[in-house]
Amino acid sequence: MPLIIVTGLPTSGKSTRAQQLHDYLSIRVAETKHRLHLISDDSLSISRTVYDLAALPAHTRSANASEKDARASAYAAVKRVLSDRDIVILDGLNYIKGWRYQLHCEAKAVRTPSCVLQIGCAPDRARQVNQERLDRRATAGEGSDSTPGPYEQGNWDNLVFRYEEPNPMTRWDSPLFTLIWEDDEAQAERTFAALWEAIAGDGRKVVKPNQ
Ligand code: ADP
């Protein structure tokens, strides 16, 4: 069963949609013998700071070891569970196209489909969400509630700048499904149903390893 790669700008609503998708799929898989997994930076205890280039000494920037380590642990977590009987939702920035390509190849290696769910959100809206989290941290202090921590402003700006939009013309970014911030529950459900159909329904494409 497939790998669903969630992608979008920082604080654009990815985890919210990933959780909605998880809830939707948990009902669908109840009729089958499949297992469902939700993997995220939070579930892997990966801090927002691993993406922060400013936190690194200048000479190590190109290597950005902590982000590479974070990707390695996400990769290992996906690889551990991905099979034709397991549906894996990978909730994260997943903003590097080469990384999405690598994940697509991993799915292909276990002969299961992959797809991308892009969370569309105006940068100003996403920035506002992060700003609210920064403000809350400033007044209430670090770790004072259960909401995920904010990205430092420079880190957030840089991630938006580095973001590589999915391209549905490429094998590794297709099929591509999109939900935007304004989409209501009914629209989200239609998108989830189309996603299910593409990766697990009767119309599901057979994955050949050498394709
Ligand atoms: P990300 O995973 O991209 O960092 P989150 O899912 O944590 O983003 O969402 C950030 C905040 O925005 C949360 O407080 C969440 O409740 C809110 N949010 C996310 N998506 C929506 C939406 N479509 N409509 C309204 N609020 C949303």
Side-chain angles (χ1 to χ4, degrees):
M1 273 283 191
L3 174 62
I4 303 160
I5 304 165
V6 179
T7 182
L9 299 178
T11 51
S12 60
K14 300 181 300 297
S15 295
T16 305
R17 295 300 191 185
Q19 188 58 53
Q20 288 171 356
L21 175 63
H22 185 271
D23 294 348
Y24 175 88
L25 292 177
S26 56
I27 295 166
R28 301 290 313 241
V29 299
E31 307 147 15
T32 68
K33 290 224 166 62
H34 298 110
R35 290 169 298 234
L36 186 57
H37 310 265
L38 176 57
I39 299 172
S40 66
D41 283 1
D42 289 335
S43 77
L44 297 170
S45 301
I46 293 170
S47 158
R48 309 276 187 262
T49 58
V50 301
Y51 303 105
D52 200 345
L53 299 181
L56 295 167
H59 67 277
T60 60
R61 270 184 201 182
S62 58
N64 196 5
S66 60
E67 187 175 345
K68 276 192 184 158
D69 290 349
R71 277 204 298 277
S73 76
Y75 194 77
V78 168
K79 205 174 153 82
R80 201 158 36 239
V81 292
L82 191 64
S83 80
D84 205 38
R85 303 177 63 85
D86 293 82
I87 298 182
V88 180
I89 303 170
L90 181 62
D91 166 25
L93 291 158
N94 298 319
Y95 71 98
I96 300 170
K97 64 175 181 245
W99 163 243
R100 294 194 299 267
Y101 171 75
Q102 205 183 330
L103 291 166
H104 164 80
C105 293
E106 186 56 44
K108 211 173 176 41
V110 293
R111 297 194 182 203
T112 200
S114 67
C115 71
V116 173
L117 175 62
Q118 182 180 22
I119 308 307
C121 179
D124 283 349
R125 156 81 64 194
R127 178 192 296 276
Q128 191 188 330
V129 171
N130 193 53
Q131 188 59 50
E132 283 161 11
R133 287 182 178 173
L134 284 166
D135 293 347
R136 205 172 316 135
R137 186 183 63 182
T139 50
E142 191 90 51
S144 52
D145 61 22
S146 58
T147 35
Y151 296 82
E152 297 306 326
Q153 192 57 57
N155 187 18
W156 189 93
D157 289 339
N158 209 280
L159 280 166
V160 171
F161 180 73
R162 299 200 318 254
Y163 187 72
E164 295 178 347
E165 291 274 342
N167 174 4
M169 302 300 283
T170 61
R171 274 176 293 135
W172 57 91
D173 283 338
S174 66
L176 176 65
F177 300 90
T178 305
L179 276 175
I180 60 168
W181 179 277
E182 291 77 16
D183 282 337
D184 61 11
E185 215 175 298
Q187 180 56 38
E189 208 155 289
R190 279 194 291 276
T191 303
F192 297 155
L195 188 154
W196 168 268
E197 193 47 42
I199 57 176
D202 295 340
R204 173 186 153 167
K205 210 172 122 204
V206 177
V207 180
K208 300 193 188 103
N210 57 352
Q211 206 173 41

